[in-house]
Amino acid sequence: MPTTAPVRRSGLAWWKALAIGVGGAVAVNLIVLAVAKLAGAPLVIVNGGTEHPITVGGVIGASVVPLVVGTGAAFLLALWKPVFLRIAQYVGGGLALLSAAGPLSSGADGGTVAALSLMHITLGLAVVATLQIHRR
């Protein structure tokens, strides 16, 4: 009686992929923050008349939380139907790129807008890459 071999993935375990994705996103976004500071960008967003400085802690939180929540949900859904990993790559990457519209419409100076937009793009790439290294 023929037996089928168990399906074997060549990708990393979900927690390893997530750790790599989060670490990479945080590292790149902190480099962007440092370069923006060195370039003289004020890194302040004014919302409702209140100034909100962009800090290291804020960048780390804004890099970690959406990536963990989004990819975590994708990993859980993929336990039910593996196609959700591919869908999450498109949806998560697209949402992160669309979120770059926030900094673009914030009315902040050019350096701050460029840094924040690049951070949003980095997060989108991190979502796609994190899910891909688990999928492959």
Short mmCIF file of all heavy atoms in Angstrom, two decimals, residues 35-96:
data_model
loop_
_atom_site.label_atom_id
_atom_site.label_comp_id
_atom_site.label_asym_id
_atom_site.label_seq_id
_atom_site.Cartn_x
_atom_site.Cartn_y
_atom_site.Cartn_z
N VAL A 35 19.10 58.68 10.65
CA VAL A 35 19.52 59.45 9.47
C VAL A 35 18.71 60.73 9.37
O VAL A 35 19.26 61.81 9.07
CB VAL A 35 19.40 58.60 8.19
CG1 VAL A 35 19.56 59.44 6.94
CG2 VAL A 35 20.42 57.47 8.21
N ALA A 36 17.40 60.65 9.65
CA ALA A 36 16.56 61.85 9.59
C ALA A 36 16.99 62.87 10.64
O ALA A 36 17.03 64.07 10.37
CB ALA A 36 15.10 61.46 9.80
N LYS A 37 17.34 62.39 11.84
CA LYS A 37 17.82 63.31 12.89
C LYS A 37 19.13 63.96 12.47
O LYS A 37 19.33 65.16 12.66
CB LYS A 37 17.99 62.57 14.22
CG LYS A 37 16.71 62.38 14.97
CD LYS A 37 16.96 61.79 16.34
CE LYS A 37 15.65 61.64 17.08
NZ LYS A 37 15.82 61.19 18.45
N LEU A 38 20.04 63.14 11.93
CA LEU A 38 21.34 63.68 11.49
C LEU A 38 21.16 64.68 10.35
O LEU A 38 21.94 65.62 10.22
CB LEU A 38 22.26 62.54 11.05
CG LEU A 38 22.81 61.66 12.18
CD1 LEU A 38 23.57 60.47 11.60
CD2 LEU A 38 23.70 62.46 13.11
N ALA A 39 20.13 64.48 9.54
CA ALA A 39 19.88 65.39 8.42
C ALA A 39 19.17 66.66 8.87
O ALA A 39 18.98 67.57 8.07
CB ALA A 39 19.05 64.68 7.35
N GLY A 40 18.79 66.72 10.13
CA GLY A 40 18.18 67.93 10.67
C GLY A 40 16.66 67.99 10.60
O GLY A 40 16.07 69.05 10.82
N ALA A 41 16.02 66.87 10.30
CA ALA A 41 14.55 66.86 10.29
C ALA A 41 14.04 67.03 11.72
O ALA A 41 14.56 66.39 12.64
CB ALA A 41 14.04 65.55 9.70
N PRO A 42 13.04 67.88 11.94
CA PRO A 42 12.55 68.10 13.30
C PRO A 42 11.82 66.89 13.89
O PRO A 42 11.72 66.76 15.10
CB PRO A 42 11.61 69.29 13.16
CG PRO A 42 11.31 69.42 11.72
CD PRO A 42 12.42 68.76 10.96
N LEU A 43 11.30 66.00 13.05
CA LEU A 43 10.61 64.79 13.48
C LEU A 43 9.51 65.09 14.50
O LEU A 43 9.45 64.49 15.57
CB LEU A 43 11.60 63.76 14.01
CG LEU A 43 12.60 63.26 12.97
CD1 LEU A 43 13.70 62.45 13.60
CD2 LEU A 43 11.90 62.47 11.88
N VAL A 44 8.65 66.03 14.14
CA VAL A 44 7.51 66.41 14.97
C VAL A 44 6.29 66.47 14.07
O VAL A 44 6.32 67.06 13.00
CB VAL A 44 7.74 67.78 15.64
CG1 VAL A 44 6.50 68.24 16.39
CG2 VAL A 44 8.93 67.71 16.58
N ILE A 45 5.21 65.86 14.54
CA ILE A 45 3.92 65.92 13.84
C ILE A 45 2.99 66.78 14.68
O ILE A 45 2.90 66.60 15.90
CB ILE A 45 3.32 64.51 13.68
CG1 ILE A 45 4.22 63.61 12.86
CG2 ILE A 45 1.92 64.56 13.10
CD1 ILE A 45 4.28 63.98 11.41
N VAL A 46 2.30 67.70 14.05
CA VAL A 46 1.33 68.54 14.74
C VAL A 46 -0.06 68.00 14.42
O VAL A 46 -0.44 67.89 13.27
CB VAL A 46 1.44 70.02 14.31
CG1 VAL A 46 0.40 70.86 15.02
CG2 VAL A 46 2.84 70.54 14.59
N ASN A 47 -0.79 67.65 15.48
CA ASN A 47 -2.13 67.10 15.32
C ASN A 47 -3.06 67.82 16.28
O ASN A 47 -2.91 67.73 17.50
CB ASN A 47 -2.13 65.60 15.60
CG ASN A 47 -3.47 64.95 15.30
OD1 ASN A 47 -4.36 65.57 14.73
ND2 ASN A 47 -3.60 63.69 15.68
N GLY A 48 -4.01 68.55 15.74
CA GLY A 48 -4.95 69.28 16.59
C GLY A 48 -4.28 70.36 17.41
O GLY A 48 -4.70 70.62 18.53
N GLY A 49 -3.23 70.94 16.89
CA GLY A 49 -2.53 71.99 17.60
C GLY A 49 -1.52 71.50 18.62
O GLY A 49 -0.83 72.28 19.25
N THR A 50 -1.43 70.19 18.78
CA THR A 50 -0.48 69.61 19.73
C THR A 50 0.67 68.97 18.97
O THR A 50 0.46 68.24 18.01
CB THR A 50 -1.18 68.52 20.59
OG1 THR A 50 -2.35 69.07 21.18
CG2 THR A 50 -0.25 68.01 21.67
N GLU A 51 1.88 69.26 19.43
CA GLU A 51 3.05 68.66 18.81
C GLU A 51 3.32 67.28 19.39
O GLU A 51 3.28 67.08 20.60
CB GLU A 51 4.28 69.54 19.04
CG GLU A 51 4.24 70.84 18.27
CD GLU A 51 5.55 71.62 18.38
OE1 GLU A 51 6.43 71.24 19.19
OE2 GLU A 51 5.70 72.59 17.64
N HIS A 52 3.58 66.33 18.49
CA HIS A 52 3.89 64.96 18.88
C HIS A 52 5.27 64.60 18.31
O HIS A 52 5.40 64.38 17.11
CB HIS A 52 2.85 63.99 18.34
CG HIS A 52 1.46 64.27 18.82
ND1 HIS A 52 1.02 63.90 20.06
CD2 HIS A 52 0.43 64.91 18.23
CE1 HIS A 52 -0.23 64.28 20.21
NE2 HIS A 52 -0.61 64.90 19.11
N PRO A 53 6.29 64.56 19.16
CA PRO A 53 7.62 64.21 18.66
C PRO A 53 7.69 62.72 18.32
O PRO A 53 7.03 61.89 18.94
CB PRO A 53 8.55 64.54 19.83
CG PRO A 53 7.68 64.49 21.03
CD PRO A 53 6.29 64.86 20.59
N ILE A 54 8.49 62.39 17.34
CA ILE A 54 8.72 61.01 16.94
C ILE A 54 9.94 60.53 17.72
O ILE A 54 11.03 61.06 17.55
CB ILE A 54 8.93 60.91 15.43
CG1 ILE A 54 7.67 61.41 14.73
CG2 ILE A 54 9.24 59.48 15.02
CD1 ILE A 54 7.88 61.77 13.30
N THR A 55 9.73 59.56 18.60
CA THR A 55 10.78 59.08 19.49
C THR A 55 11.21 57.66 19.12
O THR A 55 10.52 56.98 18.36
CB THR A 55 10.29 59.09 20.95
OG1 THR A 55 9.19 58.16 21.05
CG2 THR A 55 9.83 60.47 21.37
N VAL A 56 12.30 57.24 19.71
CA VAL A 56 12.80 55.87 19.50
C VAL A 56 11.74 54.87 19.96
O VAL A 56 11.43 53.90 19.26
CB VAL A 56 14.14 55.65 20.23
CG1 VAL A 56 14.53 54.18 20.22
CG2 VAL A 56 15.24 56.50 19.60
N GLY A 57 11.18 55.10 21.13
CA GLY A 57 10.15 54.19 21.65
C GLY A 57 8.92 54.12 20.75
O GLY A 57 8.35 53.06 20.54
N GLY A 58 8.54 55.27 20.23
CA GLY A 58 7.40 55.30 19.32
C GLY A 58 7.66 54.54 18.04
O GLY A 58 6.79 53.84 17.52
N VAL A 59 8.87 54.67 17.52
CA VAL A 59 9.24 53.97 16.29
C VAL A 59 9.27 52.46 16.55
O VAL A 59 8.77 51.67 15.74
CB VAL A 59 10.61 54.46 15.75
CG1 VAL A 59 11.13 53.56 14.65
CG2 VAL A 59 10.48 55.89 15.26
N ILE A 60 9.82 52.06 17.68
CA ILE A 60 9.86 50.63 18.00
C ILE A 60 8.43 50.08 18.14
O ILE A 60 8.09 49.04 17.57
CB ILE A 60 10.69 50.37 19.28
CG1 ILE A 60 12.17 50.66 19.00
CG2 ILE A 60 10.51 48.94 19.76
CD1 ILE A 60 13.05 50.66 20.24
N GLY A 61 7.60 50.78 18.89
CA GLY A 61 6.22 50.34 19.07
C GLY A 61 5.44 50.28 17.77
O GLY A 61 4.71 49.33 17.50
N ALA A 62 5.61 51.30 16.93
CA ALA A 62 4.90 51.35 15.66
C ALA A 62 5.45 50.33 14.66
O ALA A 62 4.78 50.03 13.67
CB ALA A 62 4.98 52.75 15.07
N SER A 63 6.63 49.81 14.90
CA SER A 63 7.19 48.77 14.04
C SER A 63 6.77 47.38 14.52
O SER A 63 6.47 46.51 13.71
CB SER A 63 8.72 48.85 14.02
OG SER A 63 9.16 50.08 13.51
N VAL A 64 6.74 47.19 15.82
CA VAL A 64 6.50 45.86 16.39
C VAL A 64 5.01 45.50 16.40
O VAL A 64 4.62 44.44 15.92
CB VAL A 64 7.08 45.76 17.82
CG1 VAL A 64 6.66 44.47 18.50
CG2 VAL A 64 8.59 45.88 17.78
N VAL A 65 4.18 46.37 16.94
CA VAL A 65 2.78 46.02 17.19
C VAL A 65 2.03 45.64 15.90
O VAL A 65 1.43 44.56 15.84
CB VAL A 65 2.06 47.14 17.97
CG1 VAL A 65 0.57 46.87 18.08
CG2 VAL A 65 2.68 47.28 19.36
N PRO A 66 2.03 46.47 14.85
CA PRO A 66 1.28 46.07 13.66
C PRO A 66 1.82 44.81 13.00
O PRO A 66 1.05 43.99 12.50
CB PRO A 66 1.40 47.26 12.71
CG PRO A 66 2.09 48.33 13.44
CD PRO A 66 2.64 47.79 14.70
N LEU A 67 3.13 44.65 13.03
CA LEU A 67 3.73 43.47 12.41
C LEU A 67 3.36 42.20 13.17
O LEU A 67 2.99 41.20 12.56
CB LEU A 67 5.25 43.64 12.32
CG LEU A 67 6.01 42.61 11.49
CD1 LEU A 67 5.49 42.56 10.07
CD2 LEU A 67 7.49 42.94 11.48
N VAL A 68 3.43 42.25 14.49
CA VAL A 68 3.08 41.07 15.29
C VAL A 68 1.59 40.74 15.18
O VAL A 68 1.21 39.59 14.99
CB VAL A 68 3.50 41.29 16.77
CG1 VAL A 68 2.91 40.21 17.67
CG2 VAL A 68 5.01 41.31 16.89
N VAL A 69 0.75 41.75 15.27
CA VAL A 69 -0.70 41.51 15.21
C VAL A 69 -1.09 41.01 13.82
O VAL A 69 -1.81 40.01 13.69
CB VAL A 69 -1.48 42.80 15.58
CG1 VAL A 69 -2.96 42.64 15.30
CG2 VAL A 69 -1.26 43.14 17.05
N GLY A 70 -0.64 41.68 12.79
CA GLY A 70 -1.03 41.31 11.43
C GLY A 70 -0.51 39.95 11.00
O GLY A 70 -1.27 39.10 10.51
N THR A 71 0.78 39.73 11.17
CA THR A 71 1.33 38.44 10.75
C THR A 71 0.88 37.33 11.69
O THR A 71 0.69 36.20 11.26
CB THR A 71 2.87 38.48 10.66
OG1 THR A 71 3.41 38.89 11.90
CG2 THR A 71 3.33 39.39 9.55
N GLY A 72 0.69 37.66 12.97
CA GLY A 72 0.16 36.66 13.91
C GLY A 72 -1.21 36.18 13.49
O GLY A 72 -1.51 34.98 13.51
N ALA A 73 -2.06 37.11 13.09
CA ALA A 73 -3.40 36.74 12.60
C ALA A 73 -3.29 35.89 11.34
O ALA A 73 -4.02 34.91 11.16
CB ALA A 73 -4.22 37.99 12.34
N ALA A 74 -2.36 36.26 10.45
CA ALA A 74 -2.17 35.49 9.22
C ALA A 74 -1.68 34.07 9.53
O ALA A 74 -2.16 33.10 8.93
CB ALA A 74 -1.18 36.19 8.31
N PHE A 75 -0.77 33.94 10.47
CA PHE A 75 -0.28 32.61 10.84
C PHE A 75 -1.40 31.76 11.42
O PHE A 75 -1.51 30.57 11.12
CB PHE A 75 0.88 32.70 11.83
CG PHE A 75 2.15 33.26 11.25
CD1 PHE A 75 2.98 34.05 12.02
CD2 PHE A 75 2.54 32.99 9.95
CE1 PHE A 75 4.17 34.56 11.51
CE2 PHE A 75 3.72 33.49 9.42
CZ PHE A 75 4.54 34.28 10.20
N LEU A 76 -2.24 32.36 12.25
CA LEU A 76 -3.37 31.61 12.83
C LEU A 76 -4.38 31.20 11.75
O LEU A 76 -4.86 30.06 11.74
CB LEU A 76 -4.06 32.44 13.91
CG LEU A 76 -3.29 32.59 15.22
CD1 LEU A 76 -4.01 33.55 16.15
CD2 LEU A 76 -3.10 31.24 15.89
N LEU A 77 -4.71 32.11 10.86
CA LEU A 77 -5.64 31.78 9.78
C LEU A 77 -5.07 30.72 8.85
O LEU A 77 -5.81 29.88 8.31
CB LEU A 77 -6.00 33.04 8.99
CG LEU A 77 -6.95 34.01 9.68
CD1 LEU A 77 -7.04 35.32 8.90
CD2 LEU A 77 -8.33 33.40 9.83
N ALA A 78 -3.76 30.73 8.67
CA ALA A 78 -3.11 29.75 7.79
C ALA A 78 -3.17 28.34 8.36
O ALA A 78 -3.05 27.37 7.61
CB ALA A 78 -1.67 30.16 7.52
N LEU A 79 -3.38 28.22 9.67
CA LEU A 79 -3.56 26.89 10.24
C LEU A 79 -4.84 26.26 9.71
O LEU A 79 -4.95 25.04 9.57
CB LEU A 79 -3.60 26.96 11.76
CG LEU A 79 -2.30 27.37 12.45
CD1 LEU A 79 -2.53 27.56 13.95
CD2 LEU A 79 -1.21 26.34 12.20
N TRP A 80 -5.82 27.11 9.42
CA TRP A 80 -7.09 26.65 8.88
C TRP A 80 -7.00 26.46 7.37
O TRP A 80 -7.35 25.42 6.85
CB TRP A 80 -8.16 27.67 9.27
CG TRP A 80 -9.52 27.41 8.73
CD1 TRP A 80 -10.22 26.23 8.79
CD2 TRP A 80 -10.36 28.35 8.07
NE1 TRP A 80 -11.44 26.39 8.20
CE2 TRP A 80 -11.56 27.68 7.75
CE3 TRP A 80 -10.22 29.69 7.73
CZ2 TRP A 80 -12.60 28.31 7.10
CZ3 TRP A 80 -11.28 30.31 7.10
CH2 TRP A 80 -12.44 29.62 6.78
N LYS A 81 -6.51 27.51 6.67
CA LYS A 81 -6.36 27.46 5.22
C LYS A 81 -5.03 28.13 4.87
O LYS A 81 -4.87 29.34 5.03
CB LYS A 81 -7.48 28.24 4.53
CG LYS A 81 -8.85 27.68 4.76
CD LYS A 81 -9.41 27.16 3.49
CE LYS A 81 -10.84 26.71 3.77
NZ LYS A 81 -11.25 25.74 2.85
N PRO A 82 -4.06 27.37 4.39
CA PRO A 82 -2.73 27.93 4.09
C PRO A 82 -2.72 29.09 3.10
O PRO A 82 -1.80 29.89 3.09
CB PRO A 82 -1.96 26.74 3.54
CG PRO A 82 -2.64 25.54 4.12
CD PRO A 82 -4.09 25.92 4.22
N VAL A 83 -3.76 29.21 2.27
CA VAL A 83 -3.80 30.29 1.29
C VAL A 83 -3.81 31.66 1.96
O VAL A 83 -3.46 32.67 1.35
CB VAL A 83 -5.03 30.11 0.35
CG1 VAL A 83 -6.32 30.42 1.07
CG2 VAL A 83 -4.88 30.97 -0.88
N PHE A 84 -4.18 31.71 3.23
CA PHE A 84 -4.21 33.00 3.93
C PHE A 84 -2.83 33.64 4.05
O PHE A 84 -2.73 34.85 4.21
CB PHE A 84 -4.86 32.87 5.31
CG PHE A 84 -6.36 32.89 5.25
CD1 PHE A 84 -7.10 31.76 5.51
CD2 PHE A 84 -7.03 34.06 4.92
CE1 PHE A 84 -8.48 31.78 5.45
CE2 PHE A 84 -8.41 34.10 4.85
CZ PHE A 84 -9.13 32.95 5.12
N LEU A 85 -1.78 32.85 3.98
CA LEU A 85 -0.44 33.45 4.01
C LEU A 85 -0.21 34.31 2.78
O LEU A 85 0.31 35.42 2.88
CB LEU A 85 0.64 32.37 4.11
CG LEU A 85 0.73 31.64 5.44
CD1 LEU A 85 1.79 30.54 5.36
CD2 LEU A 85 1.04 32.60 6.56
N ARG A 86 -0.61 33.82 1.62
CA ARG A 86 -0.44 34.60 0.39
C ARG A 86 -1.36 35.81 0.39
O ARG A 86 -0.97 36.91 0.03
CB ARG A 86 -0.73 33.70 -0.83
CG ARG A 86 -0.71 34.43 -2.15
CD ARG A 86 0.62 35.05 -2.47
NE ARG A 86 1.56 34.05 -2.92
CZ ARG A 86 2.82 34.31 -3.19
NH1 ARG A 86 3.29 35.52 -3.08
NH2 ARG A 86 3.63 33.36 -3.55
N ILE A 87 -2.60 35.61 0.81
CA ILE A 87 -3.55 36.73 0.87
C ILE A 87 -3.04 37.80 1.82
O ILE A 87 -3.09 38.99 1.53
CB ILE A 87 -4.95 36.22 1.31
CG1 ILE A 87 -5.54 35.33 0.21
CG2 ILE A 87 -5.88 37.38 1.62
CD1 ILE A 87 -6.78 34.56 0.65
N ALA A 88 -2.52 37.39 2.97
CA ALA A 88 -2.01 38.34 3.96
C ALA A 88 -0.81 39.11 3.43
O ALA A 88 -0.61 40.26 3.82
CB ALA A 88 -1.65 37.62 5.25
N GLN A 89 -0.03 38.49 2.56
CA GLN A 89 1.09 39.22 1.98
C GLN A 89 0.59 40.41 1.16
O GLN A 89 1.12 41.51 1.27
CB GLN A 89 1.94 38.31 1.10
CG GLN A 89 2.83 37.39 1.88
CD GLN A 89 3.70 36.55 0.98
OE1 GLN A 89 3.19 35.74 0.20
NE2 GLN A 89 5.00 36.75 1.06
N TYR A 90 -0.43 40.18 0.36
CA TYR A 90 -0.98 41.27 -0.45
C TYR A 90 -1.70 42.30 0.41
O TYR A 90 -1.48 43.50 0.27
CB TYR A 90 -1.95 40.72 -1.51
CG TYR A 90 -1.26 39.94 -2.59
CD1 TYR A 90 -1.48 38.58 -2.72
CD2 TYR A 90 -0.40 40.56 -3.48
CE1 TYR A 90 -0.84 37.84 -3.72
CE2 TYR A 90 0.23 39.84 -4.48
CZ TYR A 90 0.01 38.49 -4.59
OH TYR A 90 0.64 37.77 -5.58
N VAL A 91 -2.56 41.83 1.30
CA VAL A 91 -3.36 42.75 2.12
C VAL A 91 -2.48 43.52 3.10
O VAL A 91 -2.56 44.76 3.18
CB VAL A 91 -4.47 41.98 2.87
CG1 VAL A 91 -5.19 42.89 3.87
CG2 VAL A 91 -5.46 41.38 1.89
N GLY A 92 -1.62 42.82 3.83
CA GLY A 92 -0.77 43.48 4.81
C GLY A 92 0.23 44.43 4.18
O GLY A 92 0.42 45.56 4.66
N GLY A 93 0.86 44.00 3.12
CA GLY A 93 1.80 44.88 2.42
C GLY A 93 1.10 46.09 1.84
O GLY A 93 1.59 47.22 1.93
N GLY A 94 -0.07 45.86 1.26
CA GLY A 94 -0.84 46.96 0.69
C GLY A 94 -1.31 47.96 1.73
O GLY A 94 -1.22 49.18 1.52
N LEU A 95 -1.80 47.46 2.85
CA LEU A 95 -2.25 48.37 3.92
C LEU A 95 -1.10 49.20 4.47
O LEU A 95 -1.27 50.40 4.76
CB LEU A 95 -2.92 47.58 5.05
CG LEU A 95 -4.31 47.02 4.76
CD1 LEU A 95 -4.78 46.15 5.91
CD2 LEU A 95 -5.29 48.15 4.48
N ALA A 96 0.05 48.59 4.64
CA ALA A 96 1.20 49.34 5.14
C ALA A 96 1.62 50.42 4.16
O ALA A 96 1.96 51.54 4.55
CB ALA A 96 2.37 48.39 5.42
#
